[in-house]
Amino acid sequence: MKTFAAAFLSLALLSSGVAEAATAVSKSKTKASSGQTRKVKSVVVRKAAPVIAAVPTFGQVAGLHAVDDPLSLKSSVAYVLDQDTNEVLFSKNPQAVLPIASITKLMTALVVVEAGLSLDEKITVTSDDIDTEKNTRSRLAVGTTLTRGDMLHLALMASENRAAHALGRNYPGGLEAFVAAMNAKARSLGMVDTHYVEPTGLSSRNQSSAADLAKLVNTTSQMPLLRDLSTSREARVALGKRLVQFRSTNGLLSNPLWDIGLQKTGFINEAGKCLVMQASMAGRKLIMVFLDSSGSASRIADAERMRKWLASQGDNATVSTKL
């Protein structure tokens, strides 16, 4: 009986073990079917972004950046003129004819003001003012209506392309007559290296030289309205029901070391970074031109180098470097 009992007990234990094992396998299958499996971290392989070569500026193509200057300027063209004496204090590639980008808007403003058109007249942005040259954006939506004075302000201070184009389009005779007036004014100022094809500067066919631009700055800096509008740091403009704040494109206006009477910045790929100014410094009224500068803040850095150099030279500042 003891032997039979023992055998029966062993058989019972064996059956129990098999049942537990079967139960474990069943639970494992159930977990697998319910998705409770070990998670494997996936790795997403992304393709590298294609490298797009930078578009060279006209100055780079012409080798103008290879010309050395004592200040190691990033601008391939630089020109500083004493406004009262016409003495050239610094000159680097002054006759090089290059795209001038939004420096164009100084001539746009000059033609508008000299035409005696009402600054209170309302002008509406249309689809004709959309940039199809560089496909740049604008905060002035089609249908926006502003006074000619506001358009002029935004064109000079914030370099608003649609504002500048609308100004030209609303000139007596239209855009074609306006561009003709721009070129006629350039000729009257003796700007022999200058040519315009539109009023914004988006076209690389708007071209000039530093020496010519100095003549334009000299003329426009003597007009109080253009001085005030170009050196305005910011302005709030009512666009429909919203008040939208626009700011100057020239950070030097907020620098207390500078006394700027008139300024304009410019940029398109073909022109590089550009800057023209009329500024008072050490008792002198100076005209400064920087074209085809490489680097996001290089034109400002070049202007600072020039200011420090002029301050150190005093009345002895005269440097000429020509291509």
Side-chain angles (χ1 to χ4, degrees), residues 53-65 76-77 96-102 131-136 197-198 200-208 266-274 290-294:
V55 177
T57 66
F58 278 36
Q60 289 171 333
V61 172
L64 299 182
H65 284 271
S76 71
V77 172
V97 179
L98 298 173
I100 58 173
S102 286
D131 168 27
T132 57
E133 181 84 25
K134 296 290 189 294
N135 297 312
T136 56
V197 299
E198 50 83 30
T200 69
L202 288 167
S203 173
S204 61
R205 292 184 294 158
N206 284 5
Q207 298 183 2
S208 187
F267 171 76
I268 56 174
N269 287 329
E270 300 92 330
K273 299 284 185 175
C274 304
F290 301 95
L291 301 180
D292 185 31
S293 187
S294 56

Side-chain angles (χ1 to χ4, degrees), residues 110 142 147 166 182 188 222 229 242 250-251 262 284-285 295-297 307 309 322:
L110 179 60
V142 171
T147 66
M182 293 173 73
S188 73
Q222 297 177 48
L229 295 182
R242 298 180 302 130
N250 188 349
L262 178 131
R284 276 177 160 176
K285 288 190 295 182
S296 59
R307 180 186 64 79
W309 178 77
K322 296 183 179 180

Side-chain angles (χ1 to χ4, degrees), residues 69 78-80 88-95 319-322:
D69 68 78
Y79 194 70
V80 180
V88 177
L89 306 181
F90 192 99
S91 177
K92 176 184 178 182
N93 298 320
Q95 299 302 327
V319 170
S320 181
T321 306
K322 296 183 179 180

Side-chain angles (χ1 to χ4, degrees), residues 41 87 96 133 145 170 223 232 253 257 277 298 302 310-311:
K41 190 174 183 180
E87 180 186 4
E133 181 84 25
T145 299
N170 284 274
M223 305 183 74
S232 174
L253 290 172
L257 297 177
M277 293 187 294
S298 54
D302 281 355
L310 290 168

